[in-house]
Amino acid sequence: MKKLIIVLFVFVTVKISFAQNPNLGTSGAQFLQIPVGARAEAMGGAIIGLTDDASSLFWNPAGIVKINNFDAHFSYMNWFDLFDFSAASMVYNIENVGLFGASIVSMSTGKMEITTEENPNGTGQYFDAGDIALALSYGRSLTDKFAVGVTVRYISQRIWNETAEGIAFDIGTQYTLDFQNLTIAMCMTNFGADMKFDGTDLDFVYRQDNNYPLSRLVPSRLATDYFPLPLNFQIGIGFDVFKYDFIKMIGAIDVTHPNDNKERAHFGTELSFFDRFFIRGGYKYNYSDQDFTFGAGANILFQNTSVKFDYAYSLYDILPSVHRISINLGF
């Protein structure tokens, strides 16, 4: 069974290398596609079959069913030395009811001076931009092997005085087999209506005839187009490669189909020692600017509290490398 599934994933991976998407670069709210969490990124984004803590809310909400009581996740990175990207989530297990979670993703820039044709060196005014996503999630095990999770997310984007708002939904599943702890997972993210920017900076006045300075100034407004959300469908498997005394290795393979780009594949592995120290590596296939990712982590116990520290290093071909740090608290 395991060999059959792996062969299927390899076949799909080879096939998507020739696939092209006619909608390249057409969706907005791209901050929703930035990987959240150091462990997930260190494994190349091959994670939807392995999610088991509060960071599951950013990848596959079905993964939260593995939380026994309460779990919280915090992560931060400086995206290409230009943007501050932060995320936080928490999940609480209510026995016989299900698991409830809340999460937030925030990306912001520093202030930048406004320039115009008349003032190319700056006007003395400044603008900034920021995106935020707030979400509520629910997960539940339908059987001892099958779990499902859903998320509803409020999205807001802002560029100076222009804003765009929308609602999106995620749904994910995980199905675990007895052989090698093999988990088959599926997740669809960012399903929602199109968004559109609007704001006071779109207002202007128009003189109908410049040959007559006294002609009436007509109040006018620039029109902006609607843009779709970055809808993404992802399937994946996670499995135990081997376990020997205090050493354990797990692996994962994910394939994704975004609505605004070509299909891609993700490969990841994690080697753990005493279930306390972790070394991770990943590979992203069919990406134009990124290939390998690396990372490490540590799990420290304080009585009934588990504290996990994770780090990821992402290599890019042209853009600056990215460092991620994450902290996970489990009670």
Side-chain angles (χ1 to χ4, degrees), residues 194-305:
D194 294 351
M195 295 171 56
K196 179 181 180 180
F197 274 98
D198 195 10
T200 58
D201 293 325
L202 300 176
D203 296 331
F204 70 100
V205 292
Y206 171 70
R207 189 183 299 276
Q208 293 182 338
D209 192 342
N210 290 327
N211 294 322
Y212 297 91
L214 297 180
S215 63
R216 182 182 177 187
L217 295 176
V218 181
S220 306
R221 169 175 281 260
L222 296 173
T224 58
D225 289 333
Y226 284 93
F227 57 86
L229 294 173
L231 178 66
N232 186 66
F233 180 76
Q234 187 164 340
I235 59 175
I237 57 173
F239 51 90
D240 293 344
V241 179
F242 70 84
K243 185 176 182 180
Y244 180 77
D245 290 340
F246 58 87
I247 302 176
K248 178 181 178 181
M249 175 179 281
I250 60 177
I253 305 172
D254 289 4
V255 291
T256 67
H257 177 79
N259 67 339
D260 64 347
N261 214 317
K262 53 193 174 183
E263 285 75 12
R264 296 161 169 175
H266 307 249
F267 304 87
T269 185
E270 177 183 83
L271 186 65
S272 62
F273 303 89
F274 301 100
D275 199 30
R276 292 291 178 266
F277 303 99
F278 307 88
I279 299 175
R280 305 180 180 107
Y283 178 74
K284 296 185 177 183
Y285 178 76
N286 229 16
Y287 280 72
S288 60
D289 59 348
Q290 186 183 15
D291 294 316
F292 295 99
T293 60
F294 307 94
N299 181 13
I300 303 173
L301 293 178
F302 295 99
Q303 296 181 350
N304 295 326
T305 302

Side-chain angles (χ1 to χ4, degrees), residues 301-331:
L301 293 178
F302 295 99
Q303 296 181 350
N304 295 326
T305 302
S306 172
V307 182
K308 299 178 182 178
F309 299 93
D310 293 311
Y311 166 79
Y313 179 72
S314 305
L315 291 170
Y316 289 84
D317 294 336
I318 300 175
L319 297 168
S321 300
V322 176
H323 305 267
R324 285 176 175 83
I325 55 173
S326 297
I327 298 176
N328 224 84
L329 303 176
F331 301 93

Side-chain angles (χ1 to χ4, degrees), residues 173-206:
T173 62
Q174 285 185 344
Y175 181 72
T176 303
L177 303 178
D178 293 330
F179 182 75
Q180 293 294 101
N181 199 30
L182 179 65
T183 300
I184 305 171
M186 178 280 295
C187 190
M188 180 180 66
T189 57
N190 304 320
F191 176 77
D194 294 351
M195 295 171 56
K196 179 181 180 180
F197 274 98
D198 195 10
T200 58
D201 293 325
L202 300 176
D203 296 331
F204 70 100
V205 292
Y206 171 70

Side-chain angles (χ1 to χ4, degrees), residues 1-10 177 182 184 237:
M1 180 67 179
K2 176 182 175 183
K3 292 181 179 179
L4 176 62
I5 294 174
I6 294 177
V7 169
L8 175 62
F9 270 76
V10 171
L177 303 178
L182 179 65
I184 305 171
I237 57 173

